Amino acid sequence: MHKSKLIKLFRGLAKTELLEFGRYLKTPFFNRDANLVKLYDYIKKHYPEFESEKLGKSFFLKKMTGNDSTKDRRIHDWMSDLTKKLEDYLIIVEMRNKPLTRDFVLLDVMKDRQIDELFFRNIKSMRNRLNTAIERDMFYYFYKWRLKHEAYFHGNKSQKYKSERDIEGTMLDMDKFFCAVKLRYSSEMMNKEFMASHNHSIALLPEVLKEIQKPTYRENQLFKIYQLIIEIFYDEKNETYDKLERLIFDNLHLSQRDEKLTLLTFLMNHAARRVNQGHSQYRKKLFDAYVYRINNDLILEDGHISAARYLNIVYLATTLHQADWLGSFIQKNAKYLNNNIRENTSLLAEAYLHFAQKEYKKSLRILAQTGGSDLFYIYVRTLTIQCHYEINQDAEIVLLDCNNFNKYLNRNENLHESAKKSSKNFIKFVRLLIETPYKKELTKEKLTQKLDSIKEVNAGPWLMEKIQELKR
C-alpha cells in the first residue's frame, strides 16, 4: 500500500483533516461500508509517515479476513472505494476553503435545473463580491470574464435578463484577462530566458503592450507594472528599476500571495543581475526587498526558509553593516530552517554576525565548528580568510589559508566552475592586498580598476573596502 494513490492522498492530510475524514466516513449519508471505516482506522494509526511495514496489504488482509494473500480482490476494492471517498472529501474541503469555486459549481446546478431567477441573482452577487475584493490580478479578470460568459450563454432569452447578455462587456473582460495572462507569462518567460541567455520572440506581446495603453487599462497599476518588468530587460541605462520598484511596493495589495511573490522575485532577480554587473547600489535594493518580504510574511515557503535564501540574507546584511538587524533576523528565523541543515546554517550565520560586529576571534571559533556541503565550505574558508586578515596577524597565516583553500578548489571536481572562479578570484585579490606594501605598482587606483573589471568574486564588497583603506 505504501506507493498507492490512497496512501499518497493520506500523506497530504493535515491532522485535523485526517480526523474530520474519519467522521465523514462514519456518516451514513457519505458511506455505508463498514470495511472502509476499518481500513481507514488501520491506516490512521500510521500517520503521518505511513512508512511501517504493517501497511502492506497482506498485514491488513490477515487482520480483516485471516487470509494474507494479496491476490484477494477485496483489498483492492476497499482501497479503490476508500480512495474515491477521500477524493470526494477533499473536493468538499476545497469548495469550503474557496467560496468562489463553490459558487461556480452552484451556478451549474441552477443552470442544469433551470432555476433561472436564482442563477442570475447569484451571478450579480458573485460579481459584487468580486468587485469589492482588493485583488486585481489575472484571476480577477478571469472570474469577471467567466461570469459574463456564463450569463451570456445561459440560454434564457427573456427580456428580464437582457442586460446580462452583454457580448461587448464579455469581449472586453476577455481581452483584459488575456492581456493580464500574456503579460504575466511573458515576464516569466523573459526572466527565465534572460537567466539562460536565450532570446525567443513572444507571439502577440507587441499587440498586448499596445492594447494596455488604452484608458480602460489605466485604472489597474498591475498592467503598468508588467509593462515595466518587460521594459527593464531592454533598459541598459538602469532608468526603469526605480519606477518599477515604487509601483510594485505601492500596489502589491492588488495581488494575491502567489503573484506578490512573483513580482518581488522579478524585482530581486533584476537587482541581483545589476549587482553581478558591478552596480553595487543595487545590493541595498536587494536587501530592502528581502526586508519587505520578511516584514510582510512572504519569506517562508511551506513553513520553511531555504539555507541558500537564509545565507543570502545574512551575507547581504553583513555586507551592508546591518549587524543589529542581522542579530534580530537570526534570532527570529533560524527556527524555520529545515532540521537537516539547521545546525550548520545557524553556525555559519552566527559567524557572519560576529564578523559584522567586528568580533573576529569569536567568528573564527564558530567557523571551526561548522561543517556541511561544498557550498558551506566555500563560505567558511572565505570568511576564515577575511577574519584572519582583519585580525592583522602575520601575513603568512593569511597566505597559508589562501594556499589551502586553493588546493581544495583544484582537487574538487564536483564544484561548479563559477564557484571555483569566484573563489580563486577572491584568493587572488587577498594575495594582492598582502603584497601591496612591497609592490609600488599595486596602488589603490589600479586594484580598484582590477576589481571593477571582475564580475565573479567572493566577498567583493569587503575586498573593495580593504582596497579603499590602503594608503596609496
Side-chain angles (χ1 to χ4, degrees):
M1 282 197 282
H2 295 91
K3 296 182 180 180
S4 66
K5 180 180 179 180
L6 176 61
I7 296 302
K8 289 176 181 177
L9 288 173
F10 263 98
R11 285 196 180 105
L13 295 176
K15 184 64 178 291
T16 53
E17 292 173 333
L18 179 72
L19 298 175
E20 186 180 57
F21 178 53
R23 296 193 293 273
Y24 172 95
L25 273 181
K26 293 168 186 175
T27 304
F29 181 79
F30 296 114
N31 173 50
R32 295 179 181 273
D33 189 342
N35 290 313
L36 301 190
V37 176
K38 291 178 182 178
L39 180 55
Y40 159 82
D41 287 334
Y42 186 80
I43 294 173
K44 183 180 72 169
K45 294 175 184 177
H46 304 284
Y47 180 88
E49 289 83 9
F50 300 106
E51 297 293 346
S52 171
E53 63 176 15
K54 292 184 178 180
L55 271 179
K57 296 176 185 177
S58 59
F59 280 93
F60 178 71
L61 273 171
K62 192 168 185 179
K63 183 172 182 178
M64 287 283 292
T65 67
N67 173 18
D68 62 356
S69 172
T70 54
K71 294 181 180 179
D72 192 321
R73 284 299 311 169
R74 286 176 293 180
I75 183 62
H76 300 285
D77 293 341
W78 292 334
M79 287 178 64
S80 177
D81 290 346
L82 187 57
T83 299
K84 291 175 184 176
K85 296 294 182 186
L86 182 48
E87 288 173 339
D88 289 344
Y89 164 75
L90 289 172
I91 290 170
I92 291 172
V93 171
E94 186 73 3
M95 288 197 293
R96 184 173 65 201
N97 293 337
K98 296 180 179 178
L100 207 54
T101 300
R102 171 190 175 276
D103 290 343
F104 275 109
V105 172
L106 194 55
L107 283 181
D108 287 337
V109 170
M110 293 171 180
K111 181 178 178 180
D112 292 343
R113 286 160 177 74
Q114 299 182 349
I115 313 174
D116 295 350
E117 183 179 351
L118 289 183
F119 176 90
F120 286 103
R121 187 191 299 174
N122 273 26
I123 287 273
K124 185 176 180 180
S125 174
M126 290 169 69
R127 189 178 293 132
N128 289 339
R129 278 188 282 127
L130 196 59
N131 289 333
T132 55
I134 297 174
E135 293 87 357
R136 289 293 183 272
D137 55 10
M138 65 181 184
F139 295 104
Y140 166 78
Y141 291 107
F142 168 71
Y143 290 129
K144 277 198 74 176
W145 162 77
R146 187 174 172 189
L147 286 172
K148 288 274 181 65
H149 173 87
E150 295 289 349
Y152 185 80
F153 288 101
H154 176 268
N156 188 315
K157 305 299 183 183
S158 168
Q159 287 293 109
K160 183 178 180 180
Y161 306 117
K162 183 180 178 180
S163 62
E164 292 290 353
R165 297 194 299 276
D166 176 15
I167 190 61
E168 290 84 1
T170 305
M171 284 287 288
L172 178 59
D173 283 337
M174 186 199 69
D175 289 342
K176 288 185 176 181
F177 168 56
F178 174 79
C179 288
V181 171
K182 193 70 177 182
L183 290 169
R184 170 80 181 268
Y185 290 178
S186 298
S187 299
E188 293 274 2
M189 183 178 290
M190 291 178 73
N191 185 62
K192 291 183 184 300
E193 290 181 347
F194 190 95
M195 301 293 282
S197 301
H198 295 158
N199 187 22
H200 299 151
S201 61
I202 300 175
L204 300 180
L205 180 57
E207 290 80 359
V208 168
L209 291 171
K210 182 179 179 181
E211 172 70 15
I212 63 173
Q213 303 308 313
K214 294 179 180 178
T216 185
Y217 292 87
R218 291 176 189 165
E219 62 188 28
N220 187 347
Q221 290 296 319
L222 280 178
F223 287 108
K224 182 65 175 178
I225 287 172
Y226 278 110
Q227 177 189 340
L228 291 177
I229 287 173
I230 289 167
E231 288 178 2
I232 208 168
F233 289 100
Y234 305 102
D235 177 19
E236 297 181 358
K237 297 181 180 179
N238 301 329
E239 296 175 347
T240 307
Y241 186 92
D242 288 340
K243 289 189 289 185
L244 176 61
E245 183 182 49
R246 284 195 299 272
L247 267 180
I248 286 179
F249 285 133
D250 288 345
N251 294 281
L252 272 179
H253 62 282
L254 298 176
S255 305
Q256 298 181 54
R257 177 183 172 84
D258 175 63
E259 191 160 26
K260 286 178 183 178
L261 289 172
T262 297
L263 293 174
L264 288 168
T265 298
F266 287 145
L267 194 67
M268 295 168 75
N269 283 349
H270 185 75
R273 283 196 292 270
R274 294 303 195 201
V275 169
N276 293 335
Q277 291 166 358
H279 303 283
S280 59
Q281 70 271 24
Y282 281 88
R283 192 170 283 108
K284 179 64 165 61
K285 293 179 180 295
L286 184 56
F287 176 73
D288 289 342
Y290 271 126
V291 171
Y292 182 94
R293 287 183 62 168
I294 292 164
N295 292 342
N296 290 275
D297 297 323
L298 295 170
I299 200 66
L300 303 181
E301 294 182 10
D302 298 324
H304 295 286
I305 181 169
S306 69
R309 178 170 296 159
Y310 188 85
L311 292 175
N312 279 342
I313 295 169
V314 168
Y315 175 75
L316 278 171
T318 304
T319 298
L320 295 167
H321 305 289
Q322 298 284 336
D324 291 341
W325 183 91
L326 178 56
S328 175
F329 168 77
I330 291 172
Q331 185 179 16
K332 293 177 182 176
N333 293 281
K335 62 187 177 185
Y336 298 118
L337 291 162
N338 281 310
N339 292 335
N340 59 328
I341 48 90
R342 182 178 298 157
E343 181 179 0
N344 285 320
T345 308
S346 296
L347 284 171
L348 187 54
E350 289 290 338
Y352 269 107
L353 175 59
H354 287 300
F355 183 86
Q357 294 169 333
K358 303 186 185 301
E359 297 172 338
Y360 306 117
K361 290 184 179 179
K362 286 185 179 180
S363 183
L364 284 169
R365 284 196 293 271
I366 293 173
L367 288 169
Q369 306 170 43
T370 307
S373 64
D374 289 331
L375 175 62
F376 276 91
Y377 188 84
I378 288 175
Y379 274 116
V380 168
R381 296 319 309 164
T382 300
L383 190 55
T384 298
I385 292 170
Q386 290 176 257
C387 287
H388 280 147
Y389 185 95
E390 292 286 4
I391 291 172
N392 227 355
Q393 289 183 347
D394 191 325
E396 289 186 8
I397 294 177
V398 179
L399 291 174
L400 181 61
D401 280 338
C402 288
N403 290 338
N404 290 335
F405 191 14
N406 197 51
K407 287 178 183 177
Y408 165 80
L409 296 170
N410 288 335
R411 68 172 180 261
N412 193 319
E413 298 179 355
N414 297 322
L415 275 177
H416 194 281
E417 280 305 311
S418 63
K420 280 190 178 183
K421 186 176 181 181
S422 296
S423 299
K424 283 181 172 289
N425 282 335
F426 169 75
I427 293 168
K428 172 185 173 182
F429 271 93
V430 172
R431 286 170 173 166
L432 289 174
L433 285 168
I434 297 292
E435 293 171 0
T436 50
Y438 315 107
K439 293 185 178 181
K440 292 183 179 180
E441 68 273 17
L442 294 178
T443 63
K444 183 189 300 186
E445 182 181 357
K446 286 188 176 179
L447 285 176
T448 299
Q449 290 173 353
K450 278 179 176 287
L451 188 57
D452 281 338
S453 68
I454 294 176
K455 305 307 179 188
E456 294 178 294
V457 58
N458 295 353
W462 177 82
L463 289 171
M464 185 60 77
E465 286 180 11
K466 298 304 109 181
I467 290 171
Q468 299 312 310
E469 290 173 6
L470 296 174
K471 294 180 180 179
R472 58 176 175 77

